[in-house]
Amino acid sequence: MVRRTGAATREEIHSAAARLFRERGYSRTSVRDIAAAAEINPALVIRHFGSKELLFLDTMRLTIDDEPLLDVPPAEFGERFVERLLADDDIRGVYLALVRGSDEPQIKERLQAIHERTFVGPLRARLAGPDADLRARLAAAVVGGLLYALWVVGDDQLVAADPAELVVRYGAVLQQLITPA
Amino acid sequence: MVRRTGAATREEIHSAAARLFRERGYSRTSVRDIAAAAEINPALVIRHFGSKELLFLDTMRLTIDDEPLLDVPPAEFGERFVERLLADDDIRGVYLALVRGSDEPQIKERLQAIHERTFVGPLRARLAGPDADLRARLAAAVVGGLLYALWVVGDDQLVAADPAELVVRYGAVLQQLITPA
DNA sequence: GTCTATAGGGAGATAGAC
DNA sequence: GTCTATCTCCCTATAGAC
């Protein structure tokens, strides 16, 4: 194998860690596991990222592409939002890992930040009125509930259901919340 | 102090463990912590319950009182269900601990069982039609979303909101899902 | 930049005296 | 039934050679 540069090693560690944290969660993934998957030495993991927790937080980022949602007609927003959530593989892994690791204060903070930016923010941008903030937060709770049921609980019937049907039904629930009463 | 009998010691261990697991979660609560809180020896924890995981599962039970929901008029069911969830302190602690511990397979199984019995079951009992099961599962996801936003994420604005308003607004969302379209 | 070797701590669980 | 003492394992993180 070609000798790796420091940057390449760092990238391999990051990539292996991102995968393992998503699959097994924070507490069940050890620094040794990451090193083995990246085929490097455990000491390098710490040298490059400082600590296991810093590495974890570094892998738990979501870059949501908001563009497709900007042009959606207001009446279709609920469905399109649910559709996007189910289509994005990264959301599943990141949310699962953050939720399960959230008894660590720093991880809970990150979960709050991502919940706010990824769910509450886009929903509130679609709302008006004096109680827009509260309604956006309730809608974000509904959104989180779908991810919770599918990926945290792992409701087999929902996982096996036709995604298109979930989009239609669950999108309608969301739509009710963002449509002015 | 009066010398405790075996049964009393077992009860003290169980009580201390139930409290600590609800407050700190599974992975951040050690057998030694439980023993210290119960003012007994760490060896007794294992002797009485076999292992930390078995003790955890023994403390993670929910005894939901279904009675008050049986007589609720169908049109009010959504609100009354949400009201009951928010009023029950035990639900918060049990769900938080189970969700956060759910990367352990046995804990995830318990979460599935409680989700099924506590949320899906009562909701499905209120539904009819060919797709009653799917609609009940979507409604259960919505229910779980409220707990998720309040207790897992800890959305400060929702936690600080007037519970009565949450009952009205979120209950309406739930009601839409259990009312035949 | 990468490695070997190990420090240093904490965990769950057990053996056996009383 | 309860205790003291300890075993064994695995963890994160570090020191220092190359």
Side-chain angles (χ1 to χ4, degrees), chain A residues 25-41:
Chain A
Y26 179 72
S27 66
R28 289 170 64 93
T29 301
S30 72
V31 171
R32 284 171 169 76
D33 293 337
I34 295 166
E39 295 178 312
I40 50 88
N41 192 277

Side-chain angles (χ1 to χ4, degrees), chain A residues 95 102 131 148 155 169 176, chain B residues 95 100 131 148 169 176:
Chain A
Y95 260 79
S102 65
D131 49 3
Y148 158 84
D155 183 325
R169 290 181 181 270
Q176 180 195 24
Chain B
Y95 260 80
R100 287 178 170 169
D131 49 4
Y148 158 83
R169 290 181 180 271
Q176 181 195 23

Side-chain angles (χ1 to χ4, degrees), chain A residues 30-32 43 46-47 51-52:
Chain A
S30 72
V31 171
R32 284 171 169 76
I46 302 297
R47 179 166 286 282
S51 73
K52 175 184 168 181

Side-chain angles (χ1 to χ4, degrees), chain A residues 28-74:
Chain A
R28 289 170 64 93
T29 301
S30 72
V31 171
R32 284 171 169 76
D33 293 337
I34 295 166
E39 295 178 312
I40 50 88
N41 192 277
L44 286 181
V45 176
I46 302 297
R47 179 166 286 282
H48 276 282
F49 292 92
S51 73
K52 175 184 168 181
E53 187 165 25
L54 288 173
L55 171 57
F56 177 78
L57 292 174
D58 205 62
T59 63
M60 289 295 127
R61 301 180 191 281
L62 275 184
T63 49
I64 296 293
D65 187 8
D66 288 281
E67 290 296 326
L69 285 177
L70 293 179
D71 301 328
V72 169

Side-chain angles (χ1 to χ4, degrees), chain B residues 56-76:
Chain B
F56 177 77
L57 292 174
D58 205 61
T59 64
M60 290 293 128
R61 300 180 192 281
L62 275 185
T63 49
I64 295 293
D65 186 9
D66 287 282
E67 290 295 324
L69 285 176
L70 293 179
D71 301 327
V72 170
E76 294 178 17

